[in-house]
């Protein structure tokens, strides 16, 4: 009885650490769950196949019913936008945000994310210790953060976009296919007259093979002394953040140094 209970608990326990990006935050104000973020259809589970089309907007995120039920938030360049997580980012690993512009004439809700994507935000390590290795800014004291924000670039061209937060759980990433990808797609309409050219761009899937040094990595032993982000450099600053910007608190910027 006792051992079967333990087996049952062990089977159930990992699910508690799973999560979704369920709502969009704009300038500190949270929107409703799946109001501006496409609903996913795999509960809170991660995608583990980096080559799968599910890497775009998660399982179900590109389905017609999910897209039709999702509104598009109109926002100006330079706004602080971000996401609330259901549960918390409960695994060690980096947090990125990718964006992709819908072709002209295609609304965000009709866009399947099959065009070019660029990385607009990266929140990685907050500390590297010679003995214990990597500490993660999204997982301080082994407790995942529940929300974060970043600044939409001032020179972002106007138009409809998908905004795709991605957290990579690296706790089992020592073997190929062991990294857990958590992502979702919000729909926004950017106003203004930004004239930047987001680059470099990538396609999803295809942007990761799953064999990158930042994806196929044993984070426990030997303790890594550096971390190299997979995927393209961040546009426009080519920098990484090392402290999160929680909703409701003044941002300390998107390019902060490690502790
Ligand atoms: C990963 O996804 C690709 C594309 O859908 C598929 O061809 C491949 O078989 C999948 N790999 C595994 C291990 O499921
Ligand atoms: C955002 O995260 C901060 C810090 O963890 C927390 O204090 C705050 O309540 C969170 N806000 C929302 C809207 O979830």
């Amino acid at each position: 009885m006792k051992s079967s209970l333990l087996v049952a608990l062990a089977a159930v326990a990992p699910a508690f650490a799973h999560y979704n990006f369920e709502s969009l935050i704009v300038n500190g104000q949270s929107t409703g769950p799946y109001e501006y973020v496409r609903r996913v259809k795999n509960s809170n589970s991660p995608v583990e196949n980096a080559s799968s089309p599910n890497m775009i907007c998660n399982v179900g995120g590109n389905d017609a019913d999910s897209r039709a039920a999702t509104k598009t938030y109109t926002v100006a360049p330079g706004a602080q936008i971000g996401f609330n997580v259901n549960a918390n980012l409960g695994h060690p690993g980096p947090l990125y945000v990718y964006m992709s512009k819908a072709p002209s004439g295609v609304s965000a809700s009709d866009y399947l994310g099959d065009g070019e994507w660029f990385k607009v935000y990266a929140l990685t390590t907050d500390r590297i210790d010679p003995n214990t290795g990597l500490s993660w800014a999204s997982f301080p004291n082994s407790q995942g953060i529940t929300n974060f924000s970043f600044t939409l670039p001032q020179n972002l061209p106007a138009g409809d976009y998908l905004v795709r937060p991605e957290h990579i759980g690296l706790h089992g990433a020592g073997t190929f296919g062991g990294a857990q990808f958590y992502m979702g797609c919000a729909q926004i309409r950017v106003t203004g007259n930004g004239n930047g050219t987001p680059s470099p761009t990538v396609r999803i899937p295809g942007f990761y093979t799953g064999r990158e040094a930042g994806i196929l990595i044993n984070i426990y032993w030997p303790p890594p002394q550096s971390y190299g982000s997979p995927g393209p450099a961040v546009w426009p600053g080519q920098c990484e953040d090392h402290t999160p910007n929680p909703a409701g608190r003044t941002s300390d910027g998107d390019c902060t140094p490690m502790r």
Side-chain angles (χ1 to χ4, degrees), residues 25 28 30 84 145-147 246-247 249:
I25 300 169
S30 186
N84 275 312
I145 59 173
T146 62
N147 65 73
R249 221 181 290 164

Side-chain angles (χ1 to χ4, degrees), residues 112-127:
L112 302 180
D114 50 358
E116 300 293 325
W117 291 83
F118 55 97
K119 191 189 273 172
V120 73
Y121 182 64
L123 180 68
T124 62
T125 44
D126 62 1
R127 196 163 46 85

Side-chain angles (χ1 to χ4, degrees), residues 158-242:
D160 277 24
Y161 287 84
L162 296 180
V163 185
R164 176 186 173 281
E166 171 189 273
H167 193 252
I168 310 180
L170 293 177
H171 48 295
T175 53
F176 177 73
Q180 298 185 341
F181 301 94
Y182 296 87
M183 78 297 291
C185 286
Q187 300 176 180
I188 67 169
R189 180 163 300 143
V190 175
T191 59
N193 50 11
N195 61 0
T197 305
S199 65
T201 62
V202 295
R203 295 280 179 138
I204 302 177
F207 68 144
Y208 300 155
T209 63
R211 298 193 183 277
E212 290 80 1
I215 294 178
L216 179 55
I217 177 176
N218 183 331
I219 57 170
Y220 300 108
W221 196 261
Q225 297 302 304
S226 66
Y227 181 74
S229 285
V234 173
W235 180 81
Q238 282 97 43
C239 65
E240 295 189 346
D241 199 1
H242 300 281

